[in-house]
């Protein structure tokens, strides 16, 4: 049994991960901004789930989080950096700078700060595992991906550098990079339109949050000497597009 902290546990990947890991016998700290959803998950999962209201853009609350946890929950064995979002699909020249800042604050700064908050205790115990949710958008560019893709590219490089810094310790670090995934609020938040969000998945058989939770479970099942650096996963209905060429008509 491990003590596992999952950010963004109120919906989508985070909720599915929390549910899977509690059912597998772990103690899970679930964080998120929507307290009512965390409380509902606590009611469903019982005392093996600890709800903690947290906005990952709140620097002071993140810094104080390790010491603010109940004593039986303070030694976090696994940190799962799941909280993240995309906003807008406009081209860079049309994008809202406020959306860019929110994505950077959440997907980059939030991941960096919460990782830094729990890393010292893992180093002290020479034990721990950090799993961060990236995206295929961090590897493959697409129109409107701009800053979202850049934040996920940052996640990938941050985790690669983190593994280098952790060389010589027993602490593991892995990145999961999903492609098209339905069953979450990702597209609803990004497009701010439920019908447009539903249309994203029309005629597809996408990944699901449960697929991501299953992948996390598999990572945790590996022997302590095995580190899976990164997993890139897509549904079979998706592939990286070829290079685009703009051709002028005669």
């Amino acid at each position: 049994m491990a003590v596992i902290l999952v950010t963004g546990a109120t919906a989508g990947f985070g909720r599915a991960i929390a549910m899977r890991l509690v059912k597998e016998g772990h103690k899970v700290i679930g964080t998120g901004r929507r307290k009512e959803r965390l409380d509902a998950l606590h009611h469903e999962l019982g005392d093996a789930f600890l709800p903690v209201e947290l906005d990952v853009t709140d620097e002071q609350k993140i810094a104080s989080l390790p010491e603010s946890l109940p004593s039986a929950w303070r030694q976090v064995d696994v940190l799962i950096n799941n909280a993240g979002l995309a906003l807008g699909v406009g081209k860079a020249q049309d994008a809202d700078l406020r959306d860019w800042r929110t994505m950077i604050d959440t997907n980059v700064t939030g991941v960096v700060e919460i990782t830094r908050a729990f890393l010292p205790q893992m180093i002290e115990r020479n034990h721990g595992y950090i799993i961060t949710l990236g995206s295929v958008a961090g590897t493959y560019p697409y129109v409107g991906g701009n800053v979202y893709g850049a934040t996920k590219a940052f996640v990938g490089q941050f985790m690669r550098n983190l593994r280098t810094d952790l060389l010589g310790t027993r602490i593991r670090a892995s990145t999961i990079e999903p492609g098209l995934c339905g069953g979450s609020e990702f597209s609803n938040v990004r497009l701010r339109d439920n019908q447009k969000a539903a249309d994203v998945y029309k005629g597809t058989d996408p990944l699901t949050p449960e697929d991501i939770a299953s992948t996390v479970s598999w990572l945790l099942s590996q022997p302590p000497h095995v580190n899976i650096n990164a997993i890139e996963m897509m549904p079979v209905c998706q592939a990286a597009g070829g290079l685009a060429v703009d051709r002028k008509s005669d």
Side-chain angles (χ1 to χ4, degrees), residues 105-120:
D105 289 345
T106 305
N107 302 352
V108 174
T109 308
V111 166
V112 167
E113 290 182 351
I114 202 159
T115 299
R116 183 60 179 81
F118 285 94
L119 196 54

Side-chain angles (χ1 to χ4, degrees), residues 1 4 29 39 46 58 62 67 69 93 107 109 111 117 126 129 141 179-180 195 202 229 238:
M1 180 186 71
I4 302 174
I29 304 162
D39 290 343
D58 188 333
I62 286 175
E67 293 301 317
L69 294 171
Q93 60 268 33
N107 302 352
T109 308
V111 166
N126 197 25
Y129 200 165
L180 185 70
Q195 185 55 55
K202 189 175 181 179
N229 294 338
Q238 184 182 38

Side-chain angles (χ1 to χ4, degrees), residues 179-183 200-209 211 234-237:
L180 185 70
C181 190
V200 170
Y201 309 101
K202 189 175 181 179
T204 72
D205 188 11
L207 301 176
T208 68
D211 294 327
M234 293 183 184
V236 294
C237 65

Side-chain angles (χ1 to χ4, degrees), residues 27-238:
K27 294 170 61 177
V28 175
I29 304 162
T31 77
R33 291 177 294 128
R34 292 171 286 191
K35 183 177 183 299
E36 69 284 356
R37 291 198 179 189
L38 292 173
D39 290 343
L41 198 51
H42 180 213
H43 179 75
E44 182 175 352
L45 297 177
D47 290 340
F49 179 81
L50 178 68
V52 175
E53 188 176 1
L54 176 73
D55 184 335
V56 295
T57 66
D58 188 333
E59 179 182 356
Q60 291 185 340
K61 192 157 186 182
I62 286 175
S64 64
L65 180 59
E67 293 301 317
S68 69
L69 294 171
S71 58
W73 297 79
R74 286 183 187 170
Q75 291 195 355
V76 172
D77 300 299
V78 182
L79 169 63
I80 300 177
N81 287 313
N82 165 72
L85 79 169
L87 293 172
V89 291
K91 293 184 178 181
Q93 60 268 33
D94 302 318
D96 188 329
L97 274 172
R98 292 170 297 182
D99 287 346
W100 280 10
R101 292 190 188 102
T102 299
M103 286 187 282
I104 292 168
D105 289 345
T106 305
N107 302 352
V108 174
T109 308
V111 166
V112 167
E113 290 182 351
I114 202 159
T115 299
R116 183 60 179 81
F118 285 94
L119 196 54
Q121 62 163 259
M122 292 183 178
I123 294 292
E124 183 178 355
R125 291 180 284 129
N126 197 25
H127 171 77
Y129 200 165
I130 299 168
I131 299 172
T132 301
L133 269 294
S135 170
V136 297
T139 303
Y140 308 106
Y142 58 89
V143 175
N146 45 70
V147 166
Y148 174 68
T151 64
K152 292 304 184 177
F154 176 93
V155 164
Q157 189 61 26
F158 174 65
M159 293 297 286
R160 284 188 285 271
N161 280 310
L162 183 60
R163 284 189 289 274
T164 302
D165 289 342
L166 293 172
L167 184 65
T169 75
R170 301 287 290 175
I171 300 166
R172 295 184 286 172
S174 301
T175 310
I176 301 175
E177 301 171 352
L180 185 70
C181 190
S184 75
E185 298 176 350
F186 178 83
S187 291
N188 304 75
V189 171
R190 184 174 205 172
L191 300 174
R192 300 182 174 98
D193 184 305
N194 290 339
Q195 185 55 55
K196 288 181 179 178
D199 290 343
V200 170
Y201 309 101
K202 189 175 181 179
T204 72
D205 188 11
L207 301 176
T208 68
E210 289 70 29
D211 294 327
I212 308 305
S214 176
T215 303
V216 169
S217 175
W218 179 79
L219 286 173
L220 295 178
S221 74
Q222 298 309 296
H225 71 285
V226 174
N227 189 86
I228 306 299
N229 294 338
I231 295 176
E232 179 184 290
M233 52 193 296
M234 293 183 184
V236 294
C237 65
Q238 184 182 38

